[in-house]
Amino acid sequence: MSTVELLAPAGNPEALDAAIGEGADAVYLGLRSFNARMRSSNFAFNQFEAAVEVCRKNQKKVYVTVNTVFEQREADRMYQLLQYLERVGPDGLIVQDLGVVKMAKDFFPSLKLHASTQMNIGSARGANFLSRQGFKRVVLSRELSLDEIRKVSETTNLETEVFVHGALCVSASGLCLFSSYLGGKSANRGLCAQACRRLYSTEAGSGYYFSPDDLQLIDRVSDLVEAGVDSFKIEGRMKSAEYVGAVVAAYRHMLDNWRIDRERALAKALSLLQADFARRKTSFNISGELDLDYLKPDQPGGTGIPLGKIRDIRSYEDGRWALMESAGAEGLGEGDSLRVHHADDSGRFTARLKGVKEGPKGTLLRFDGDYRQGDEVYLVQTKTMGKRWKPVLPKDIGRFHKFPSRDLAPKPDYPKLGKAELEVLPDGLYALVGRVADLHVLLAARPEKAMLVFDRKNAEGLRRHEKEIPFKRDSLVLWLDPYLPEADSDWLSGELDYWIGQGQRFFVANNPAHLGLLRGRTDPKGRPVFTIAGPWLYVFNRYAAAFLLEEGARCVVPPYEIGKQNFMKVAETVPSKAWMPVVFSYPPLFRIRTDLAKKYDFRYFTDRERQAYELVTGRDYSTVIPQSPFSIVDRIPFLKRRASASSSSTSPSSSYRSRSTSR
Amino acid sequence: MKAAEEGRVLPETGRFNWKDGFWQPPEAPSVD
C-alpha cells in the first residue's frame, strides 16, 4: 500500500460516498460560503460535521475549502466560520486569503492551514514563508514541472499536494481576473464563470483559443511518488459521483500496484479512466516542456466524449430526432446523458437519451431540448455508470448541530507605522511600465516614482542598460512579477541581492515568496528596503492588510478587482498614506506560462459582446489585457477626500498605471 | 498622467468592479 495520500473532491454527499467507496484517503469539500466552488451544492453544516466524525472513525481525512477572499463586510461571518471549524476540527483548511491566515493565527491557532493553489505558491521559498506562518501543507501551482515539484518537496518542510487529474485553468493559479472583469463573477470569490472556455473571434476566424484540455498524470504516478509528493489531488468538486468514483478507482489502483508491475497497473488504471467522460487529456507542463497542443481552438469548452455535430433534424411520429454527421452509436443507449453545445456558443444543456437508431444517412438520436443544426453533442455519462456506493453519512444527522455562533470578529491589530515610514512615499502619481525602454517615455510625465515590471526579460534589460536608467534608485520601484516558479526562485534571489546591493530600496511584492525575500533587508547605507504589497496579494479586508503590514510591507496596492465600497471600508482604519490604489490600468486578465506566439498568430480578439482584448506574448509568458483600460482618475479627488476624512492622516498616495503588461 | 492630475474622465475606459463590486449570488436556502 502506498503512503502517499489520495485526495478526492466531494462536491456533495454522493461524491463523498464515491470517493470513500473507491479508496480515497482524504476528501476536500466546501461549506455553503467562502469556497471556490460556490456553484456546486456543497455541504450543510450538519452534513459536514457528520462527514468529519465518520471519516475520522475510518482513518480518512477531511479538508475544508475556505479558499476565497472575503470582503470587509463579511469579516464577522468569516470569524464565525473559523470559530465553528475550530470546534468541529477537520484535518485541514485550504485557504487563499491572507486575512483568513491572520484571523486563524490570532484567534484559532489550532486550525491546520493548507495553502490553496490560488495562493500561487510555486517555489520552496514561497512554501517556507508559509511554513513560518504555521501552515502545514501547500497545494502547488499547477504549472510546475516534475523537476520543480521535486525540488520544492525536497526543500520545504511543508507537505506538498499536487493536482494529478482534472480540469485545468488556462491562467496560472490565482492570477486570473477574466471572469471578474467580464461580469464581476470573480474566481477569487468562488464564482468563476469559465470565460476562458468561450468562443472568441479573431480576424482569421473564431475558436476556443483558451480552453485547455484536462490534466491526467496517471502515467507519472511513480515519478511523483519518487519526487516526494505527499498528496495526489483530483480536481472536480463540480463533477458527478460517477466521475469521482472512476478517477479515484484508477489512481487508487495505480498507487497500490505500480511497484509490483507498473505496466500492468497502468493498463488497468487507464481502463478504469475510460469512465472519466471529461475533456481530452494533457500532461501539461510535467515534463518541463509545455505541450501547446493542450489548447485546441476547435474544441468547445465543455466536458464529455464528442459524438459529433447535428447534421439535420428529422421529425417522426415519436418526436424529433437529431441526425448526426458521423456514425458512432456503438455503446450508446437509452438513459445515457448527453450535453448539447450550441454551434454559436450561445448556450449548452444536458439531456437524457431517449432513443438511438441507425438510419440510411447516419445515426439518429432522440432527446428533448432546443437543439439546432450544427450543434455539437457529447456523451457525459452512460446509464451503466449509475453505480451506487455505500452512504458515508448516517441517515439521521439531527444530532450534529454545532453551527456557527453570532460572535463578532475582534478588530485586527496593526503594527504602528511611524511618521517617517509613512512619509517615504509622497502623495502623487506612480506609473508602472512593462518595458525598460518605456522608462524613458515616463520621464516627460514626471511621476512621483517610476515602477517597472521586474521579470527575467526586464531584469536582463536593466542590467544591460544599468548606466542609462533615467531614474535615480530612490525614484524607481521594481514591481516583482507575481509568478515565481521554482525554476526562477534562485535567479530572483540573486537579482534582489544584486539590486539591493546597488542601492535599490523600493519593491512591490506580489507573491508570498517575495515577502520572505524582502523581509529585514537593508541597502548598503543601512536603510531598510521599502516593501509595497502589490495587488496580487489580494487585500480585500483589514485582516489581510494587517498581515502584510506585520510582515514588513509599508504600503498596500489593493487588488485590481476591488470595489469602491469595500475599499473605503478596508481603508478606514489603516493610515491613508499606506494605500496606493490603482487609478488607471490595463489589468492583466490572465497569464499563461508559455509564449503563445508559438501557437497563435493573432494579437487581438473579441468576445460575443464585441469587447476587444489583446494577447500579449513574450519569451517567458503570455497575458491577455482588455483594449479598454480601467480608469478612475476622475475619482482621485474623492479618494483623497474620503481617505483623509476617515483617518487622521493625510491623503492617500494614488498610483497611475500605464500598460503594465505591454512588452 | 495629465487627466489624472486634472481629475478628468477619460473616454473609452471602464470601471471594472469599482462601481458595483462583485456580483453577489442569491443566498443559498438554508437546509441546516
Side-chain angles (χ1 to χ4, degrees):
Chain A
M1 292 292 281
S2 173
T3 55
V4 176
E5 177 184 272
L6 179 57
L7 173 58
N12 53 55
E14 293 74 35
L16 172 68
D17 300 343
I20 299 297
E22 296 295 347
D25 302 303
V27 292
Y28 61 103
L29 51 83
L31 295 166
R32 288 180 179 159
S33 54
F34 301 122
N35 88 82
R37 288 289 177 267
M38 290 300 290
R39 290 173 209 275
S40 60
S41 55
N42 297 311
F43 281 68
F45 291 118
N46 47 9
Q47 290 174 322
F48 162 65
E49 290 168 33
V52 171
E53 184 180 288
V54 175
C55 286
R56 186 169 293 139
K57 272 186 195 155
N58 293 291
Q59 285 83 49
K60 307 285 184 186
K61 292 188 171 165
V62 176
Y63 307 130
V64 185
T65 54
V66 190
N67 54 347
T68 57
V69 296
F70 70 95
E71 293 190 303
Q72 186 55 38
R73 64 185 170 80
E74 299 164 314
D76 290 336
R77 276 179 58 214
M78 178 56 81
Y79 178 83
Q80 290 152 10
L81 177 66
L82 296 181
Q83 187 185 48
Y84 165 76
L85 291 172
E86 190 185 48
R87 281 190 288 139
V88 177
D91 299 283
L93 259 68
I94 305 170
V95 303
Q96 171 187 11
D97 191 331
L98 295 172
V100 175
V101 179
K102 168 80 177 154
M103 261 192 195
K105 275 176 67 176
D106 285 0
F107 309 121
F108 312 108
S110 71
L111 290 173
K112 300 178 188 85
L113 300 182
H114 295 190
S116 165
T117 194
Q118 289 290 94
M119 279 189 127
N120 191 359
I121 303 297
S123 64
R125 284 186 170 83
N128 289 334
F129 171 79
L130 294 180
S131 174
R132 292 192 289 278
Q133 307 300 323
F135 275 71
K136 298 278 180 254
R137 178 181 290 193
V138 56
V139 186
L140 293 175
S141 57
R142 284 166 285 194
E143 308 78 26
L144 299 190
S145 69
L146 180 65
D147 285 344
E148 290 177 311
I149 291 169
R150 181 184 297 112
K151 193 161 173 217
V152 176
S153 298
E154 282 170 355
T155 45
T156 179
N157 57 354
L158 288 193
E159 295 173 4
T160 51
E161 182 177 308
V162 168
F163 279 96
V164 292
H165 198 95
L168 287 168
C169 291
V170 73
S171 177
S173 309
L175 300 180
C176 187
L177 302 173
F178 204 18
S179 176
S180 188
Y181 185 82
L182 286 175
K185 294 182 182 172
S186 172
N188 293 306
R189 300 274 296 165
L191 295 166
C192 174
Q194 307 212 22
C196 56
R197 301 217 181 265
R198 293 184 192 162
L199 189 70
Y200 293 98
S201 300
T202 67
E203 275 183 2
S206 55
Y208 300 88
Y209 298 109
F210 305 110
S211 176
D213 286 347
D214 282 0
L215 181 69
Q216 178 173 295
L217 297 180
I218 193 83
D219 59 337
R220 306 307 291 263
V221 161
S222 52
D223 296 332
L224 288 163
V225 171
E226 286 170 348
V229 171
D230 294 290
S231 179
F232 281 22
K233 183 172 207 161
I234 296 165
E235 182 276 346
R237 280 190 291 137
M238 307 278 281
K239 297 272 175 46
S240 67
E242 289 77 10
Y243 170 91
V244 172
V247 179
V248 169
Y251 281 84
R252 178 77 279 156
H253 184 82
M254 194 65 191
L255 275 167
D256 291 347
N257 293 286
W258 70 269
R259 286 181 202 277
I260 303 163
D261 183 340
R262 187 183 176 278
E263 291 312 309
R264 211 165 148 189
L266 181 59
K268 169 81 191 239
L270 285 169
S271 75
L272 289 166
L273 283 175
Q274 295 290 311
D276 158 11
F277 284 35
R279 301 178 186 88
R280 283 183 283 200
K281 299 296 184 277
T282 175
S283 58
F284 200 32
N285 195 34
I286 200 74
S287 69
E289 285 179 25
L290 204 151
D291 175 10
L292 285 172
D293 203 34
Y294 84 108
L295 297 173
K296 295 188 184 69
D298 61 339
Q299 176 180 259
T303 61
I305 294 173
L307 299 176
K309 285 184 181 170
I310 297 173
R311 191 203 311 174
D312 202 359
I313 296 165
R314 302 285 163 88
S315 290
Y316 297 114
E317 278 179 9
D318 54 356
R320 287 171 91 218
W321 289 74
L323 174 64
M324 304 302 293
E325 273 188 352
S326 50
E330 196 182 334
L332 283 181
E334 280 185 44
D336 291 352
S337 294
L338 307 176
R339 186 174 55 75
V340 180
H341 192 117
H342 291 316
D344 59 0
D345 197 38
S346 60
R348 53 189 79 169
F349 64 91
T350 53
R352 190 74 67 188
L353 188 58
K354 291 183 166 176
V356 186
K357 61 186 177 190
E358 287 299 333
K361 297 201 170 165
T363 305
L364 288 146
L365 305 178
R366 186 162 73 85
F367 54 93
D368 295 332
D370 177 28
Y371 55 84
R372 308 157 207 166
Q373 210 173 4
D375 288 357
E376 303 245 13
V377 182
Y378 296 81
L379 177 64
V380 289
Q381 191 177 317
T382 61
K383 194 181 173 190
T384 51
M385 282 174 73
K387 185 173 173 183
R388 289 288 168 261
W389 291 270
K390 186 180 158 199
V392 170
L393 303 184
K395 271 192 185 148
D396 178 15
I397 54 173
R399 68 189 171 86
F400 297 100
H401 48 68
K402 288 198 171 75
F403 301 123
S405 69
R406 299 272 174 199
D407 293 354
L408 300 182
K411 303 228 169 349
D413 292 327
Y414 295 102
K416 278 243 177 303
L417 298 179
K419 197 174 172 203
E421 280 176 301
L422 290 169
E423 293 299 333
V424 173
L425 290 184
D427 291 357
L429 296 169
Y430 293 73
L432 174 69
V433 293
R435 291 185 305 193
V436 175
D438 288 344
L439 287 173
H440 295 275
V441 180
L442 271 189
L443 264 183
R446 301 175 65 183
E448 207 55 63
K449 288 191 197 300
M451 302 171 118
L452 173 69
V453 172
F454 194 75
D455 54 17
R456 270 187 182 266
K457 200 170 173 189
N458 283 340
E460 288 162 15
L462 266 189
R463 291 260 198 155
R464 216 167 30 244
H465 302 288
E466 193 174 344
K467 295 210 164 53
E468 300 124 55
I469 300 170
F471 290 90
K472 290 181 181 164
R473 290 271 179 269
D474 275 358
S475 297
L476 181 67
V477 181
L478 296 184
W479 174 284
L480 304 186
D481 185 8
Y483 191 64
L484 184 63
E486 183 60 28
D488 288 350
S489 184
D490 287 347
W491 162 80
L492 180 64
S493 175
E495 283 294 309
L496 292 179
D497 288 348
Y498 176 80
W499 287 106
I500 292 170
Q502 297 296 308
Q504 177 64 41
R505 285 180 68 208
F506 294 96
F507 295 91
V508 176
N510 276 306
N511 184 295
H514 298 158
L515 297 168
L517 280 164
L518 295 169
R519 185 94 207 242
R521 305 291 296 266
T522 52
D523 74 359
K525 291 180 187 164
R527 296 179 304 173
V529 158
F530 193 96
T531 302
I532 300 164
W536 301 106
L537 292 173
Y538 291 111
V539 173
F540 279 100
N541 53 69
R542 294 174 198 164
Y543 300 85
F547 176 94
L548 288 164
L549 295 173
E550 273 176 7
E551 288 305 315
R554 289 292 166 262
C555 179
V556 175
V557 182
Y560 293 104
E561 57 178 340
I562 200 164
K564 176 175 140 189
Q565 280 184 339
N566 189 41
F567 173 66
M568 299 320 289
K569 266 188 188 304
V570 180
E572 264 172 23
T573 55
V574 180
S576 58
K577 276 188 176 296
W579 291 107
M580 190 186 280
V582 179
V583 294
F584 182 94
S585 108
Y586 289 87
L589 299 180
F590 59 92
R591 176 209 175 95
I592 302 169
R593 192 188 179 184
T594 190
D595 179 5
L596 275 191
K598 290 180 193 161
K599 183 172 179 77
Y600 296 137
D601 55 10
F602 63 83
R603 186 164 164 195
Y604 300 98
F605 63 93
T606 54
D607 64 16
R608 270 203 314 257
E609 280 76 41
R610 312 291 299 163
Q611 279 215 69
Y613 306 88
E614 182 180 350
L615 173 63
V616 185
T617 56
R619 189 189 67 189
D620 302 316
Y621 60 95
S622 308
T623 53
V624 163
I625 57 173
Q627 278 294 281
S628 99
F630 160 79
S631 171
I632 50 169
V633 295
D634 53 303
R635 307 303 289 154
I636 290 174
F638 164 81
L639 284 168
K640 286 186 173 179
R641 210 167 48 241
R642 286 297 298 267
S644 352
S646 59
S647 79
S648 56
S649 300
T650 54
S651 57
S653 314
S654 299
S655 70
Y656 170 97
R657 301 279 140 72
S658 88
R659 303 181 62 138
S660 62
T661 54
S662 60
R663 289 284 167 276
Chain B
M1 292 284 279
K2 200 157 186 290
E5 278 159 6
E6 294 167 4
R8 271 194 284 124
V9 178
L10 286 167
E12 294 180 35
T13 57
R15 296 289 203 196
F16 202 167
N17 291 329
W18 182 252
K19 193 175 168 195
D20 303 318
F22 294 121
W23 181 78
Q24 296 295 332
E27 287 280 323
S30 174
V31 292
D32 306 329

